[in-house]
């Protein structure tokens, strides 16, 4: 995505080799990358880094990816962050659970570079459109307030 804004991606995985692989796939795409090693750190880094997208492993210490996703999606401050679960779990029940806790997309390992890049690009594009729609909605609301005569 070659827009002027640099998107922020948090890679949450307890395996350094997986972090390195995701970084290698994304490094040339001009994204700001940050890393978390467990579920609790993912929540902390989300608060400080304010990512647009989280690549979230399911099986992590302290809090699972399912628990992290559920917490983030239930908080109005973080509910709009896109979450792509990246995991070795590929059973239908795992996918259903991921959807039930609010993940936006699901990618099974092993990860293929092209598939990851297209999903990331599409999720960030969707986030940008959603943000613009929200901005326009707020603008319209403020214009309606300005133009509506006040009752005495």
């Amino acid at each position: 995505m070659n827009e002027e804004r640099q998107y922020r991606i948090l890679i949450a995985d307890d395996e350094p080799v997986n972090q390195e692989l995701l970084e290698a796939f994304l490094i040339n795409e001009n994204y700001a990358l940050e890393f978390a090693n467990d579920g609790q750190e993912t929540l902390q880094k989300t608060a400080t880094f304010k990512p647009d997208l989280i690549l979230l492993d399911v099986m992590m210490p302290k809090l699972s990816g399912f628990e992290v996703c559920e917490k983030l999606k239930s908080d109005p401050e973080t509910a709009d962050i896109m979450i792509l679960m990246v995991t070795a779990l590929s059973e239908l029940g795992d996918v259903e659970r991921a959807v039930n806790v609010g993940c936006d997309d699901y990618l099974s390992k092993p990860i293929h570079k092209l598939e990851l890049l297209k999903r990331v690009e599409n999720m960030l594009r969707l986030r940008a459109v959603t943000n613009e729609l929200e901005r326009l909605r707020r603008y319209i609301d403020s214009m309606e307030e300005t133009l509506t005569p006040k009752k005495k």
Side-chain angles (χ1 to χ4, degrees):
M1 297 186 71
N2 294 341
E3 286 121 33
E4 67 278 352
R5 183 186 185 293
Q6 186 178 40
Y7 289 97
R8 302 163 75 81
I9 299 175
L10 176 59
I11 297 171
D13 197 307
D14 61 320
E15 294 291 332
V17 71
N18 292 337
Q19 288 183 359
E20 291 169 9
L21 177 65
L22 291 169
E23 179 181 27
F25 286 170
L26 296 168
I27 197 75
N28 293 325
E29 300 301 316
N30 193 32
Y31 299 131
L33 302 177
E34 184 63 54
F35 302 89
N37 298 303
D38 60 55
Q40 194 62 47
E41 186 179 13
T42 302
L43 294 176
Q44 293 164 347
K45 293 266 177 107
T46 297
T48 57
F49 182 61
K50 304 206 181 308
D52 298 293
L53 170 65
I54 300 173
L55 303 181
L56 182 62
D57 184 30
V58 171
M59 296 182 293
M60 290 192 299
K62 299 189 182 171
L63 292 171
S64 74
F66 294 128
E67 293 168 309
V68 170
C69 184
E70 190 168 36
K71 286 179 183 293
L72 293 173
K73 291 299 186 174
S74 66
D75 182 345
E77 293 293 316
T78 56
D80 65 334
I81 296 172
M82 301 298 286
I83 297 178
L84 173 59
M85 292 241 183
V86 181
T87 182
L89 300 176
S90 60
E91 297 295 319
L92 183 58
D94 299 317
V95 175
E96 288 175 1
R97 185 169 177 201
V99 169
N100 288 337
V101 296
C103 91
D104 299 290
D105 202 354
Y106 192 94
L107 187 59
S108 294
K109 294 176 184 174
I111 300 162
H112 302 282
K113 181 178 180 179
L114 182 60
E115 184 179 14
L116 175 74
L117 292 177
K118 289 310 292 178
R119 287 192 191 207
V120 166
E121 179 182 340
N122 289 338
M123 293 179 82
L124 291 173
R125 184 174 290 132
L126 178 60
R127 176 160 167 99
V129 168
T130 302
N131 287 347
E132 182 64 10
L133 183 62
E134 180 62 24
R135 188 191 67 75
L136 290 171
R137 187 194 60 74
R138 285 192 311 267
Y139 174 75
I140 290 169
D141 288 348
S142 71
M143 292 304 294
E144 286 176 347
E145 289 174 13
T146 303
L147 297 173
T148 304
K150 296 183 179 171
K151 296 179 182 179
K152 294 182 182 181

